[in-house]
Amino acid sequence: MATAASQLPPAEFIRIAKSIEDEVGKVIVGQDAVVRGILTCVLAGGHALLEGVPGLGKTMLIRTLSDVLDLSFSRVQFTPDLMPADITGTSVISDDGGVRGFQFQPGPIFANLVLADEINRATPKTQSALLEAMQEHRVTVAKNTYQLERPFFVMATQNPIEMEGTYPLPEAQLDRFFYKLTVTYPTEDELLTIAERTTGGRTPRAEPVADGPTVTAMMDLARDVPVARPVLAYAVRLTTRTHPDRPEAAESVKRYVRYGASPRGLQSLVLGAKIRAILEGRFNVAFEDIREVALPALRHRVILNFEADAEGVTSDRVIQDILLATKEE
């Protein structure tokens, strides 16, 4: 297993990241872009939202990542009757040598990697229980605040909103996710490999290649990647042009967008581009890095209106229009 260092060299960062992707690839067939996206979220200290129909291996992917990173892991299956205390924990009456009092019993949120499975099957009240934990890395129960251990990541899966028994995530909660990643149906070749791997006598297993201190050192190094001023200004222009009230916004933005991306969207755009740059072997951010991370960083932060729903326009299409209309300098 890799050992963390106070000053992790970029070459070691790349080697460990490749080892993580290779180990995940022993279990998960295809979905390379999704695996890279989740790894980017982890190294950015952010949270990932995965969307796709049931049965595409979303839960298996996140469980495999927890094995590879050797972090404490917990899973919460979101259902309509799930209560906030089922996630955060609650205080119970304890009897210590005849002295009665309240003792806090931590919930499943107290782990390094938390899988929130089918998050949009719970009510908005329960979904909101995650907000404080995701943003501030702490939980407040009965006026007491408890800090969550670093590193802390929430990896959530959600079914398409058109499916029965789902609730839309509030915009404020969507904004807490660093990336929204779309899990697509496998190709025929990938299905063939899945059938070969999963119907035999031996089940593939991933080995741990990084621990918590190593991940923390990689997170620190990623933030040190420099960004030139013109590249940073390009990211700002992309973010502001998601807003329909801006005169320079594309026609599709003015027609179909209700709310544009928040400053968190810009932060995800820049930090995601830093991590992509170092994973591509560069210690500086290029315009290309910003373009490549624009969809996962912005698609859940561009909120469309009813007209877009009626015409089948997606946030991905709107962001592609913004990318085409925005010059690099």
Side-chain angles (χ1 to χ4, degrees):
M1 185 183 300
T3 301
S6 56
Q7 294 293 329
L8 191 71
E12 184 67 0
F13 180 106
I14 295 171
R15 185 193 69 76
I16 297 171
K18 186 174 186 313
S19 298
I20 293 171
E21 291 180 330
D22 289 346
E23 284 298 320
V24 172
K26 290 180 180 178
V27 178
I28 302 299
V29 179
Q31 307 293 353
D32 294 345
V34 176
V35 173
R36 173 63 65 92
I38 292 177
L39 180 59
T40 300
C41 291
V42 169
L43 298 178
H47 312 291
L49 177 63
L50 277 68
E51 182 176 276
V53 297
L56 294 184
K58 301 186 293 293
T59 303
M60 175 65 74
L61 171 56
I62 295 171
R63 185 180 290 278
T64 303
L65 184 69
S66 73
D67 293 338
V68 173
L69 296 181
D70 196 25
L71 298 173
S72 61
F73 172 76
S74 67
R75 176 176 182 266
V76 183
Q77 178 64 51
F78 279 63
T79 56
D81 59 350
L82 190 75
M83 300 300 291
D86 297 329
I87 299 171
T88 59
T90 188
S91 296
V92 298
I93 297 176
S94 65
D95 189 343
D96 186 8
V99 179
R100 288 196 168 189
F102 286 98
Q103 183 177 17
F104 178 64
Q105 295 291 328
I109 197 73
F110 288 84
N112 295 120
L113 180 57
V114 178
L115 168 58
D117 211 2
E118 297 186 303
I119 189 173
N120 60 334
R121 288 202 182 279
T123 61
K125 177 182 178 182
T126 304
Q127 292 169 5
S128 298
L130 282 175
L131 281 177
E132 183 184 17
M134 292 174 65
Q135 182 61 30
E136 302 177 26
H137 293 194
R138 66 182 188 183
V139 170
T140 302
V141 177
K143 298 183 180 178
N144 294 314
T145 300
Y146 305 90
Q147 205 70 32
L148 299 171
E149 184 182 352
R150 191 177 185 238
F152 171 72
F153 313 106
V154 173
M155 303 289 164
T157 69
Q158 77 167 4
N159 298 323
I161 194 63
E162 299 83 9
M163 297 189 71
E164 189 175 349
T166 60
Y167 298 86
L169 292 180
E171 286 85 354
Q173 185 167 359
L174 279 173
D175 199 31
R176 262 66 173 185
F177 286 100
F178 189 83
Y179 274 0
K180 179 182 177 184
L181 303 164
T182 303
V183 184
T184 57
Y185 197 79
T187 64
E188 288 192 4
D189 287 342
E190 289 169 348
L191 283 173
L192 184 64
T193 307
I194 290 171
E196 290 173 342
R197 284 190 188 180
T198 57
T199 58
R202 298 182 61 185
T203 304
R205 185 180 179 85
E207 299 296 329
V209 296
D211 54 16
T214 304
V215 172
T216 302
M218 295 174 77
M219 292 165 62
D220 293 340
L221 177 65
R223 288 181 174 269
D224 287 340
V225 177
V227 187
R229 189 85 177 187
V231 178
L232 202 56
Y234 176 61
V236 171
R237 288 199 298 277
L238 287 179
T239 305
T240 57
R241 291 181 185 188
T242 62
H243 291 258
D245 57 344
R246 303 285 294 198
E248 64 273 22
E251 189 57 39
S252 60
V253 174
K254 294 178 179 175
R255 182 173 178 184
Y256 297 120
V257 175
R258 187 155 51 99
Y259 300 116
S262 68
R264 285 196 190 95
L266 174 64
Q267 292 167 345
S268 296
L269 203 55
V270 174
L271 192 50
K274 285 187 174 188
I275 293 167
R276 183 184 185 275
I278 195 169
L279 290 175
E280 293 294 318
R282 287 177 281 106
F283 205 67
N284 60 80
V285 178
F287 290 109
E288 174 193 353
D289 299 317
I290 299 287
R291 286 196 301 272
E292 287 297 319
V293 304
L295 283 178
L298 298 179
R299 60 162 59 107
H300 54 302
R301 296 182 166 102
V302 174
I303 309 300
L304 303 180
N305 57 23
F306 291 114
E307 186 176 358
D309 288 341
E311 297 186 17
V313 175
T314 65
S315 55
D316 280 17
R317 181 188 140 182
V318 172
I319 295 168
Q320 293 285 9
D321 288 346
I322 296 170
L323 287 168
L324 286 173
T326 306
K327 295 182 179 179
E328 295 180 350
E329 56 184 3

